Every structure is written in structure tokens, then in C-alpha cells.
């Protein structure tokens, strides 16, 4: 037996298994599998700017709350009242801003990827994948959009399918079937760009 580390080709990924009655777990598993398929099949670079915006707002809100706590510790309550009012108001404002950001900017997008031009002459295309799965519903909707870096034209394609199509009776994800559908939706969005 050798102590040589395994290479990527030798490492076998464990299959994803979820409780198929847990809608959140099913959606998250499908989202992660779509993201993985986009990285494996198309070799796009992930862009974290959308998620970084949310993290920045959360960090500022936590900083405001920590400042309020420290200020109240150093200058007990009657003295700290004006600062606490400002901090609490700021915190609620930031949480409202975060809600608007996730509702209108993120819109269910779970991955943003950049398709670089191999020659480096054309601007990068931006791919976004979002999904929807209503509570107590089995229909998983995958939406992929591509924004042409040169023209700004946006092409979108979607697919709605039962989650039962992607999981076996034991709750194990059937990655090959999902990969096929991801490729189909990707190609539909790509062909929309070519017909602009």
C-alpha cells in the first residue's frame, strides 16, 4: 500500500444523497449540482461579485451591532441612548436594504460565471443560473441566461421538470441526467445569442 496522494482522476466523488421529502435540501442539492456541472462541462470562471455584495451588507450590519454593544458596555444605558438609537436604526435600514438586494438583484441566482474569450480580444460573456422550487411543489425550474459582453444582448433559456427525474428512490442524485438537462438549457441560451 502506497502513501502517494490520489490525483483528481483517481478521486471518486461520493454521490449526493438527500431526504427527498425535504424541499430545501432537494433544491440546494440540485443547485450545487448545476453549479458543479457548469464548472466541469464549460470551464467557466465563477464570479463572486453578487454574493460579495450581500456579504458586505451583512458585515456592515454586524459591525454596527458590535459597535452598539461595545458603546453600551463602555457608557452604560442612559448615557448610550443616542448612539444606540442611531445604531439600531442603521441596522434595520441595512436589513431592509439587504432584503431589497436579495429580492430584486439576486432573484434566486445561485451562480454567476464568466466565459472568457480564448483569444482575449472579445469582452467576456456572463452566465447566470437561477432556480425556483415552490413549497410543496415538485417542479424544479432552472433558468440560465447569458449576457453577450460585446453587444449586451441577453439570451435566456429555462427548463421545468419534476425533481423526481433527478433522484432515485433512495434520494440519491442522478448527476448524469441533470448534466444532460444543464447542457440542453445552456445550448438553448447560447443559440439565442447566435440568432440575435
Amino acid at each position: 500500500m502506497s502513501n502517494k496522494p490520489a490525483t483528481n482522476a483517481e478521486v471518486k466523488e461520493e454521490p449526493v444523497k438527500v431526504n427527498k421529502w425535504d424541499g430545501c435540501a432537494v433544491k440546494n442539492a440540485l443547485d450545487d449540482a448545476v453549479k458543479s456541472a457548469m464548472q466541469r462541462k464549460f470551464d467557466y470562471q465563477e464570479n463572486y461579485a453578487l454574493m460579495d455584495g450581500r456579504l458586505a451588507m451583512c458585515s456592515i450590519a454586524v459591525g454596527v451591532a458590535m459597535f452598539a454593544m461595545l458603546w453600551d458596555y463602555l457608557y452604560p444605558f442612559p448615557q448610550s441612548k443616542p448612539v444606540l438609537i442611531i445604531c439600531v436604526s442603521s441596522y434595520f435600514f441595512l436589513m431592509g436594504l439587504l432584503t431589497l438586494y436579495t429580492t430584486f438583484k439576486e432573484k434566486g441566482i445561485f451562480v454567476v460565471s464568466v466565459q472568457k474569450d480564448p483569444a482575449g480580444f472579445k469582452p467576456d460573456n456572463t452566465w447566470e443560473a437561477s432556480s425556483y422550487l415552490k413549497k410543496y411543489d415538485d417542479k424544479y425550474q432552472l433558468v440560465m441566461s447569458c449576457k453577450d459582453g460585446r453587444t449586451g444582448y441577453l439570451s435566456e433559456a429555462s427548463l421545468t421538470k419534476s425533481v423526481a427525474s433527478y433522484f432515485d428512490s433512495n434520494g440519491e442524485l442522478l448527476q448524469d441526467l441533470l448534466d444532460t438537462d444543464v447542457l440542453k438549457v445552456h445550448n438553448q441560451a447560447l443559440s439565442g445569442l447566435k440568432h440575435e
Side-chain angles (χ1 to χ4, degrees), residues 91-103:
Y91 182 83
F92 281 110
F93 173 75
L94 287 166
M95 289 298 103
L97 198 62
L98 181 65
T99 301
L100 291 173
Y101 183 83
T102 55
T103 304

Side-chain angles (χ1 to χ4, degrees):
M1 192 185 311
S2 77
N3 292 337
K4 219 168 75 172
T7 63
N8 287 345
E10 294 171 344
V11 174
K12 177 86 172 154
E13 286 186 29
E14 287 197 27
V16 176
K17 195 170 184 179
V18 297
N19 175 0
K20 58 187 179 176
W21 304 112
D22 182 356
C24 287
V26 167
K27 183 183 181 303
N28 289 337
L30 288 170
D31 289 351
D32 289 344
V34 168
K35 181 178 176 179
S36 171
M38 285 181 72
Q39 290 169 344
R40 280 184 289 110
K41 299 271 184 203
F42 311 115
D43 196 32
Y44 296 159
Q45 293 178 349
E46 190 168 354
N47 181 337
Y48 299 99
L50 191 66
M51 301 302 165
D52 288 347
R54 182 180 0 147
L55 286 174
M57 278 186 261
C58 291
S59 299
I60 293 169
V62 168
V64 166
M66 288 176 68
F67 177 77
M69 186 178 73
L70 178 66
W71 192 266
D72 191 53
Y73 177 76
L74 295 175
Y75 305 98
F77 177 65
Q79 215 176 355
S80 65
K81 186 176 179 181
V83 173
L84 289 179
I85 290 171
I86 292 169
C87 288
V88 168
S89 301
S90 300
Y91 182 83
F92 281 110
F93 173 75
L94 287 166
M95 289 298 103
L97 198 62
L98 181 65
T99 301
L100 291 173
Y101 183 83
T102 55
T103 304
F104 296 109
K105 180 76 173 154
E106 284 187 0
K107 297 184 245 175
I109 297 169
F110 59 88
V111 66
V112 178
S113 297
V114 176
Q115 178 185 9
K116 300 253 181 215
D117 178 32
F121 294 114
K122 289 194 271 181
D124 304 334
N125 292 345
T126 305
W127 286 86
E128 293 179 347
S130 58
S131 66
Y132 307 95
L133 181 66
K134 293 180 182 171
K135 197 173 185 178
Y136 308 120
D137 193 6
D138 71 323
K139 300 295 182 213
Y140 178 75
Q141 181 183 16
L142 173 65
V143 179
M144 290 181 82
S145 63
C146 180
K147 184 176 183 182
D148 190 305
R150 187 173 42 86
T151 63
Y153 181 78
L154 185 70
S155 175
E156 193 173 273
S158 66
L159 171 94
T160 303
K161 220 170 186 181
S162 172
V163 294
S165 306
Y166 303 120
F167 291 94
D168 66 10
S169 58
N170 296 323
E172 194 171 302
L173 179 66
L174 305 170
Q175 186 72 48
D176 293 339
L177 296 176
L178 183 63
D179 285 357
T180 303
D181 284 344
V182 168
L183 186 62
K184 183 171 31 170
V185 175
H186 176 275
N187 290 342
Q188 286 173 355
L190 196 58
S191 66
L193 278 185
K194 292 176 183 170
H195 292 118
E196 65 171 283

